[in-house]
Amino acid sequence: MKLEKRDIAVRPRRLRRTDALRRLVRETCLNKDDLVAPVFISAGENKKHSISSMQGVYQWSIDRVQEEIDELLAVGIDKIILFGIPSVKDSTGSDSYSQNGIIQKSLQKLKQEYSDLFIITDVCFCEYTDHGHCGVIHDNDVSNDSTLSLLGKQALSHVEAGADMVAPSGMMDGMVGEIRLALDTGGFEHIPIMSYAVKYASAFYGPFRDAVESTPQFGDRKSYQMDPANIREALKEVELDILEGADIIMVKPALAYLDVISHVKDISNVPVACYNVSGEYSMLKAAAEKGWIDHDSAMMEMLLSMKRSGADIIISYFAKEAAALMKND
Ligand code: PBG
C-alpha cells in the first residue's frame, strides 16, 4: 500500500527554525538580577583560601574580599549573601552576635566601600558553634526556644552593622516572627526577611560544610531540617513563615527540589527564592573537569530550570560565571 502525504496541520518545529524566532517565543529568560552570589569571609589577614571541594570558590579575609566583590560588580552582580567563618567557635556561637564578629566587621567595611552593594546575611549558628549545630544544645538536641532569642540578637546585630536583608537558615520554629520582633523593636521595620522556609536535610550541603567547617560534631540535622520525602509539609512551613512576616520564601536545595519550588510558587504571593547549593555546584565542576559534560551549557540549563520552575531569585555559586555569559542589559 502506498502511503499518502499526511496532512500535519500543527507543526511545533515551525517555531524552532531560527535563533531569532526561538528567542521570540522563549517562555523563560534568566537575568543577572535573578542572581545572588554567596561570599565566604573568614578571620585572618591576606587570605584567599581555596575550598578544595568547591572549585573557584574561596574563603576571603576582610582585607581582600574586595577582589571578589569587584569581579562580581564587573559582570553585573550587585547582590551577595555573606557567610562568616570566625576565628573562635564556642557552644552558643557568640561571634555571630558580637559587635566585633566576623560578619559585623565585614558589613561595616563593605558598606563603607560599596554603598550600592545589596548585602544579605545568612542568620544561623552552625558556622559559629564548636559542635556545628544550628543552635544551642540541650539534651543532645538543638533547643528551639533557647535558640530563638539568640537568633533575634544575631539578626539585629547584622542589621545594625549594615545588612540590607537577613536570611535565617536554621529551621527553628518561630524564627521569622522572633527576628521580625527583634528588628522592629530595634527600629528596623523596613528591613526585609528572606526565610529559608523550606530547607531539607540534604546530602547536597556536603561541600559547603567543608567551606565553613560546620559539619556537626555529633548526630545530623534531621531533627530540624525537613525530610526530603515531604512536600505538603513544605507548604505548611511556607504558610507559617508568611504569617510570621517573611517577605521572601526560599526553597533549598534547588535542583532536586524543582517540584517543591513550583508548588511553593503556586500557593504563595511572595517572591520565591531557591538556593542552588554547594553539592549541585561541585557535581557539575567535577564532571566538567573530567570532560564529561559541557560546563557552561549545563550551568545555564540548570539555572534556567530553577527560573522556569518558579524561582524569582537564585542564590548560586555560579552567579559570576553565569552573569559573564549573559548579555549586558
Ligand atoms: C546554614 C546553611 C547551610 C547552607 C547555607 N546555610 C548549611 C547546612 O544547613 O548545613 C548550605 C549551602 C550550600 O550547601 O551551598 N547556615
Side-chain angles (χ1 to χ4, degrees), residues 21 25 77 104 122 146 154 158 175 207 215 229 239 245 249 282 299:
L21 178 54
V25 298
I77 299 290
Q104 291 77 358
D122 184 81
S146 2
Q154 182 186 146
H158 287 178
M175 68 181 184
T215 305
E239 277 171 14
I249 286 296
S282 300
M299 166 179 76

Side-chain angles (χ1 to χ4, degrees), residues 305-321:
S305 76
M306 294 164 203
K307 182 86 188 273
R308 192 188 62 237
S309 72
D312 304 291
I313 300 164
I314 302 170
I315 301 171
S316 177
Y317 305 99
F318 289 120
K320 188 168 43 177
E321 284 171 284

Side-chain angles (χ1 to χ4, degrees), residues 117-175:
L117 183 67
F118 190 82
I119 310 183
I120 308 165
T121 56
D122 184 81
V123 175
C124 192
F125 287 103
C126 60
E127 298 112 88
Y128 304 90
T129 49
D130 48 14
H131 44 74
H133 277 287
C134 302
V136 183
I137 303 290
H138 284 177
D139 299 330
N140 272 328
D141 195 10
V142 174
S143 157
N144 195 84
D145 298 10
S146 2
T147 302
L148 284 184
S149 59
L150 288 180
L151 274 174
K153 206 166 154 179
Q154 182 186 146
L156 182 60
S157 80
H158 287 178
V159 173
E160 282 170 344
D164 296 296
M165 178 154 80
V166 290
S169 65
M171 289 298 279
M172 294 301 123
D173 295 337
M175 68 181 184

Side-chain angles (χ1 to χ4, degrees), residues 83 122 124 126-127 169 196 199 204-205 208-209 214 221 225 252 275 277-279 317:
F83 293 92
D122 184 81
C124 192
C126 60
E127 298 112 88
S169 65
Y196 288 69
K199 178 172 176 182
F204 288 95
Y205 309 147
F208 172 94
R209 292 180 187 171
S214 73
R221 302 206 212 284
Q225 299 182 347
K252 174 181 170 195
Y275 201 133
V277 300
S278 56
Y317 305 99

